[in-house]
């Protein structure tokens, strides 16, 4: 089933970093803190971490199997593994979901560009908390600049994806990840030294179990899938580029740990600041954008730190959007036999239309709602709370029905080249625990149990 013309990541560390680059992004630094804030704090964190370990990790390993075995795109993989069956619908769900996610993600990625350029010209210098809020509100309610930044972001992603996986993704991730870590640790130290830091830490780490509702559990599950980039064959597509030296189990564990650590660091930065500056934890999507500049400008040379932080955040978002665009691109390229450039153009144009609608839903289209959600909120809801967990569920069911244990072991260990600890536990979780739990969460959410 090998197709040798496909790109292969250069090195083992390259595979890990590229996958981590996909996982670590706005999901950790933007979406995680505000979702945690809206869902009651520490209790959410607890369920989130359980979802990462019990659901996210098994689905990630399954995606690695699917991609690594077939070396094919999201639908092609299922056509090879289960010919003439409907399982390739998992792939179609994935392709659509990656476009939807990129659509709303590009808006926030655009915000990072606005903040990055604003700090470059020293714009945050000496601003009070109120002024920073006003600045955000003015920006997000204006029409032209958000549209410009959304478009720029999609265009840059397109250019990198056209230039190929190896050169683009691997290089960017190699330089970026360590730098991001350093600045996050520095910022958390600064945030912990704020006056009401302990209140923020209590909110983040001391669970109030009465806050746990069906919706909180669904939100935590959605956030876990979103943050780990699992459920929609994005990592399966990446795993199709891994070479045979790649240790799949180790990569999955490391990526999961890095991803969770970055989310935790983001929480440790945001919540002490939120409580110190009197910002409501339930502020929603703009939470990070009004909190972080306040932490940064208190540091000596605050503007320079803001500049570095928003640059890194934009780049972290970029390594995620690259992985998102890769899915529809390689699907179009392989299934319709087009060039990579044409494939990426078609996908990017579709995503651009979605991106424009999502950007405008913060101003001109703010009142146009479906199920009481703006277009932006609708795409976020449809992906994180439906398409990702359902994709994950069907991937598990597929593993249960179609994949022989011995074949799974052979692929996961590269035919005995690497060791896979707790293999039987993994199989049991993928086949039974994860799918049953996902079904229970959905039944619970819809009030059926
Ligand atoms: N995980 C990324 C983040 O946290 C976003 C992302 C990239 C994603 N690829 C994905 C989410 C695939 C779901 C599926 O920012």
């Amino acid at each position: 089933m090998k197709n040798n013309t496909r790109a292969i990541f250069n090195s083992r560390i390259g595979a890990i970093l590229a996958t981590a680059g996909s996982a670590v992004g706005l999901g950790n630094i933007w979406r995680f803190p505000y979702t945690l804030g809206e869902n009651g704090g520490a209790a959410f964190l607890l369920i989130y971490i359980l979802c990462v370990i019990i659901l996210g990790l098994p689905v990630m390993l399954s995606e690695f199997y699917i991609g690594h075995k077939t070396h094919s795109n999201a639908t092609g993989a299922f056509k090879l593994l289960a010919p003439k069956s409907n399982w390739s619908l998992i792939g179609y769900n994935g392709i659509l979901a990656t476009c939807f996610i990129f659509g709303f993600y590009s808006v926030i990625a655009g915000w990072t560009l606005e903040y990055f350029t604003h700090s470059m010209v020293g714009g945050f210098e000496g601003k009070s908390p109120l002024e920073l809020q006003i600045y955000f509100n003015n920006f997000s309610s204006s029409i032209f600049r958000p549209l410009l930044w959304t478009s720029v972001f999609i265009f840059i992603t397109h250019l990198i994806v056209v230039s190929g996986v190896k050169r683009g993704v691997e290089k960017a991730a190699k330089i970026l990840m360590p730098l991001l870590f350093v600045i996050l640790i520095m910022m958390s130290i600064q945030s912990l030294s704020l006056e009401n830091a302990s209140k923020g830490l209590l909110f983040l780490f001391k669970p109030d179990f009465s806050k746990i509702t069906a919706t909180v559990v669904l939100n935590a599950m959605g956030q876990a899938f979103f943050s780990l980039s699992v459920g929609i064959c994005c990592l399966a597509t990446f795993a199709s580029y891994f070479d045979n030296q790649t240790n799949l189990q180790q990569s999955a564990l490391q990526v999961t740990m890095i991803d969770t650590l970055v989310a935790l660091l983001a929480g440790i930065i945001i919540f002490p600041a939120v409580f110190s500056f009197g910002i409501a934890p339930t502020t929603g999507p703009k939470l990070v954008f009004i909190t972080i500049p306040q932490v940064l400008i208190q540091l000596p040379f605050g503007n320079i730190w803001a500049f570095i932080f928003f640059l890194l955040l934009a780049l972290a978002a970029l390594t995620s959007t690259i992985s998102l665009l890769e899915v529809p691109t390689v699907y179009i390229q392989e299934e319709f036999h087009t060039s990579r450039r044409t494939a990426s153009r078609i996908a990017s144009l579709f995503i651009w239309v979605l991106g424009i609608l999502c950007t405008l839903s913060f101003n001109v289209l703010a009142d146009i709602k479906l199920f009481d959600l703006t277009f932006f909120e609708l795409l976020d809801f449809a992906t994180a709370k439906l398409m990702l967990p359902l994709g994950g569920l069907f991937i598990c069911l597929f593993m249960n029905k179609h994949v022989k244990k011995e074949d799974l072991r052979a692929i996961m260990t590269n035919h005995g080249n690497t060791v896979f600890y707790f293999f039987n536990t993994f199989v049991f979780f993928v086949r039974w625990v994860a799918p049953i739990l996902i079904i229970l969460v959905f039944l619970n959410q819809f009030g059926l149990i």
Side-chain angles (χ1 to χ4, degrees), residues 15-35:
I16 294 175
L17 285 175
T19 310
S22 166
V24 175
L26 297 173
N28 310 58
I29 294 166
W30 159 74
R31 199 175 188 281
F32 172 78
Y34 94 77
T35 312

Side-chain angles (χ1 to χ4, degrees), residues 22-28 101 105 225-230 232 234 320 323-324 388:
S22 166
V24 175
L26 297 173
N28 310 58
I101 293 178
Y105 204 91
F225 278 86
F226 189 90
S227 192
L228 293 177
S229 296
V230 298
I232 51 176
C234 183
S320 297
S323 78
L324 288 165
L388 298 181

Side-chain angles (χ1 to χ4, degrees), residues 59-67 230-236 239 395:
V59 176
M60 183 185 288
L61 284 163
S62 307
E63 287 204 29
F64 280 1
Y65 164 82
I66 292 164
V230 298
I232 51 176
C233 302
C234 183
L235 294 187
I395 287 174

